[in-house]
Amino acid sequence: GAGVSQSPSNKVTEKGKDVELRCDPISGHTALYWYRQSLGQGLEFLIYFQGNSAPDKSGLPSDRFSAERTGGSVSTLTIQRTQQEDSAVYLCASSSYTGLQYFGPGTRLTVT
Amino acid sequence: TQLLEQSPQFLSIQEGENLTVYCNSSSVFSSLQWYRQEPGEGPVLLVTVVTGGEVKKLKRLTFQFGDARKDSSLHITAAQPGDTGLYLCAGEATGTASKLTFGTGTRLQVTL
């Protein structure tokens, strides 16, 4: 009965390095979402996976951002050549057929 | 791009006071959700409203969806310190497969 989990909880990286953020959705949830939240603000949609369909990448801010979802479960968000403006909390959510989204605790990314 | 504006951005009140948070857009949404987020955690769903004019109550919280489904409000009666947090509204537009547009957020602090 675990909720959505994300790792790491905090990540500090140097500008120009690549980072990978992981999301473990609730078991059985077919949909998975990634959002970005800057400094206590609202959430910005990044990418959405639904089952085996092609992901909706319309929210990715640049080609430095990519995500994959292996086996319809775990997802990894990769940011290449990180920039200081990438610093934010990255949140993952999953949902079942109801569409109600359950969020993980997020990964706080700091680019120095 | 659909935008959801929340007001006020910040609210600091004393225990026992009443307050209302507004969520406004020029776009129509098929449903609107309210979340509360505490520091270091992901947003937690409070309520979903789907019908224009709908009013839902959750203990001391009253949620209303505008008749035209473009706006919503959250009213808290007799606020308590446990109500402190970031309140987010999020709209789902028709045909967007549960992809949510989040509001700018209202940070509420309730003091003794």
Side-chain angles (χ1 to χ4, degrees):
Chain A
V4 177
S5 61
Q6 292 186 244
S7 61
S9 55
N10 281 285
K11 176 70 176 179
V12 180
T13 190
E14 292 181 350
K15 177 182 172 182
K17 300 282 190 183
D18 298 351
V19 295
E20 285 189 351
L21 312 179
R22 177 187 169 107
C23 172
D24 279 272
I26 293 173
S27 177
H29 279 192
T30 57
L32 188 147
Y33 309 77
W34 282 98
Y35 295 88
R36 179 168 69 176
Q37 185 175 33
S38 299
L39 205 56
Q41 298 299 308
L43 279 66
E44 173 191 11
F45 167 79
L46 296 177
I47 188 169
Y48 159 62
F49 296 88
Q50 173 61 60
N52 295 321
S53 302
D56 178 345
K57 304 179 182 180
S58 60
L60 295 179
S62 77
D63 58 8
R64 296 185 296 104
F65 288 73
S66 63
E68 62 178 21
R69 189 179 185 193
T70 53
S73 182
V74 172
S75 178
T76 302
L77 176 69
T78 301
I79 309 173
Q80 295 178 309
R81 305 180 303 282
T82 52
Q83 304 295 312
Q84 287 186 329
E85 60 262 29
D86 299 335
S87 295
V89 175
Y90 289 82
L91 289 156
C92 172
S94 70
S95 69
S96 66
Y97 68 93
T98 64
L100 296 179
Q101 297 183 29
Y102 295 85
F103 284 82
T107 293
R108 180 175 296 279
L109 175 66
T110 303
V111 182
T112 61
Chain B
T1 302
Q2 296 172 309
L3 294 174
L4 277 168
E5 295 288 337
Q6 286 185 237
S7 62
Q9 276 189 290
F10 301 98
L11 194 54
S12 181
I13 61 172
Q14 291 189 321
E15 182 180 19
E17 292 185 26
N18 301 332
L19 67 117
T20 302
V21 176
Y22 299 92
C23 175
N24 295 295
S25 176
S26 57
S27 302
V28 175
F29 292 98
S30 60
S31 70
L32 198 135
Q33 302 173 15
W34 284 92
Y35 292 80
R36 184 172 75 203
Q37 185 179 23
E38 299 190 28
E41 299 180 8
V44 175
L45 180 66
L46 296 175
V47 77
T48 300
V49 286
V50 297
T51 305
E54 182 176 3
V55 177
K56 278 192 175 178
K57 290 194 173 185
L58 184 66
K59 297 183 180 178
R60 295 176 293 99
L61 278 60
T62 301
F63 304 85
Q64 185 164 9
F65 201 11
D67 290 342
R69 291 185 288 132
K70 294 182 179 180
D71 55 83
S72 181
S73 64
L74 158 59
H75 183 79
I76 301 179
T77 304
Q80 298 177 1
D83 296 327
T84 294
L86 178 67
Y87 288 81
L88 297 160
C89 63
E92 178 185 347
T94 303
T96 58
S98 301
K99 189 169 72 177
L100 297 174
T101 299
F102 276 82
T104 47
T106 295
R107 187 166 297 282
L108 171 66
Q109 182 171 28
V110 183
T111 56
L112 294 171

